[in-house]
Amino acid sequence: MSERYGHDRRVGLGKRITSSNLFWPLVALLALFVANTIASPNFLKITWLDGHLFGSLINLMRSSAPLMLVALGMTLVIATRGIDLSVGAVLAISGAVALSYIAGAPDPASPATVAVAVLIALALSAVLGLLNGLLVAVLGIQPIIATLILMTAGRGIAMLITGGLITTVNSAPYKWLGSGWLLGLPVAGWIAVVVFVVLLLLTRRGALGMLIEAVGINPDAARIAGVWSRLIIWMVYVLSGLFAGMAGILSSADVMAADANNAGMMIEMDAILAVVIGGTALSGGKFSLSGTFVGVLVISTLTLTVTMLGISPLVTPLFKAIIVLIVMLLQSPRARTTFEAWSRRTAFRKKEAVA
């Protein structure tokens, strides 16, 4: 009796683990780590040099920061049944505004100049998110159409700001944001982690997450229940724009240049892939910021893996599509049912063999 009870407990624990939305994304991430370690035995090695941590994982933390910020905002938007295709354009505008202001300032190396430039860029990014929210929440335009407008026009706006040129500056305080260090770790990584933790606390320790999910599950029922659906939808688009603006600051500070044509190119697709890999449904409702966190790491690690294996970056989207397809198949209800049936048959055969 006790043996049977223990077996049932093990089966129940295994079922709970494999049914978690984070299980297969974590398996995919682990597989990528193993592949990288085989290709480069020092992949997991982290060293302490000149007061900083160095290694492939530290580089991964820094390089994935812009995508992490964009994906977190995208998660909230998708949770309300929306989509934000304009994040790449907002990222380009943010970097263009900040670098153009610094380049035209009398003292580009002044921390005050950099602070004003960052504030202007973030404020403009929030306003662009506000515009998306107005089109979606007030005017009732479909999110994909509303954000497609800014996606199309945004890079033109960035080109107007930079005069069609790649703007470069030499400012140590601004460079610190993209490639500096704080407590031994990259500043960009710290910013992304802090935003993730704050957002996680606001949505899971407060009522914000429940309100967003209520709007995503049934906006009309949420409105009848007293939830300000329009305000919630407006707010998530503002946050998405703001986070995209922060990503633009980090991206431009990393290379100290604003390239309106290429900055943030296709980052909206990577963000959507990360959200989907993390288990948040595009139909809205329940969302997982932790899942998005893992999804971003999968996408960023895959990009790094392609580089380390010497494969042309031009085929990286193909590998991303394959990884997403595999994870989606493993997460699908039918695949789970098949896996559970296979587990039961295997356990039954073992039991018969022992008997």
Side-chain angles (χ1 to χ4, degrees), residues 39-319:
S40 175
N42 292 326
F43 175 73
L44 297 177
K45 184 179 180 181
I46 297 177
T47 58
W48 182 265
L49 184 64
D50 297 332
H52 312 308
L53 290 171
F54 285 93
S56 298
L57 296 181
I58 303 301
N59 292 335
L60 185 65
M61 178 183 180
R62 178 173 58 199
S63 63
S64 62
L67 178 58
M68 184 70 71
L69 292 170
V70 173
L72 290 175
M74 187 71 76
T75 303
L76 301 182
V77 171
I78 288 177
T80 61
R81 298 187 178 186
I83 198 82
D84 190 352
L85 298 180
S86 68
V87 287
V90 174
L91 183 152
I93 292 173
S94 175
V97 168
L99 285 188
S100 297
Y101 180 85
I102 294 173
D107 185 9
S110 168
T113 299
V114 172
V116 173
V118 170
L119 289 176
I120 292 174
L122 294 183
L124 179 58
S125 301
V127 169
L128 294 174
L130 196 69
L131 176 62
N132 282 333
L134 174 69
L135 295 177
V136 175
V138 179
L139 300 182
I141 300 176
Q142 291 184 356
I144 192 171
I145 301 299
T147 56
L148 186 62
I149 296 171
L150 184 54
M151 176 187 179
T152 305
R155 294 199 179 274
I157 296 173
M159 292 288 286
L160 287 175
I161 294 172
T162 60
L165 304 173
I166 297 177
T167 304
T168 60
V169 298
N170 185 15
S171 173
Y174 194 73
K175 186 176 179 61
W176 180 79
L177 293 172
S179 56
W181 302 85
L182 180 65
L183 301 177
L185 293 172
V187 174
W190 275 116
I191 293 174
V193 170
V194 168
V195 170
F196 168 73
V197 172
V198 170
L199 206 55
L200 195 63
L201 291 176
L202 287 176
T203 54
R204 296 309 176 200
R205 295 294 182 183
L208 181 60
M210 184 182 63
L211 295 176
I212 291 174
E213 290 181 349
V215 172
I217 293 171
N218 192 328
D220 293 332
R223 188 179 64 255
I224 293 173
V227 178
W228 292 359
S229 301
R230 286 183 176 178
L231 181 61
I232 295 293
I233 294 173
W234 216 334
M235 182 197 65
V236 297
Y237 280 96
V238 171
L239 288 177
S240 180
L242 180 63
F243 293 162
M246 295 173 68
I249 298 293
L250 298 184
S251 298
S252 60
D254 189 27
V255 296
M256 294 303 286
D259 185 354
N261 271 330
N262 298 309
M265 185 63 72
M266 300 299 290
I267 196 170
E268 58 273 359
M269 294 296 110
D270 283 349
I272 294 171
L273 290 178
V275 173
V276 173
I277 289 175
T280 298
L282 292 178
S283 56
K286 290 189 175 298
F287 64 95
S288 172
L289 293 175
S290 300
T292 298
F293 189 95
V294 177
V296 169
L297 293 181
V298 170
I299 295 295
S300 300
T301 307
L302 177 62
T303 305
L304 179 63
T305 303
V306 170
T307 304
M308 292 184 68
L309 295 179
I311 302 172
S312 171
L314 296 176
V315 298
T316 301
L318 173 62
F319 289 98

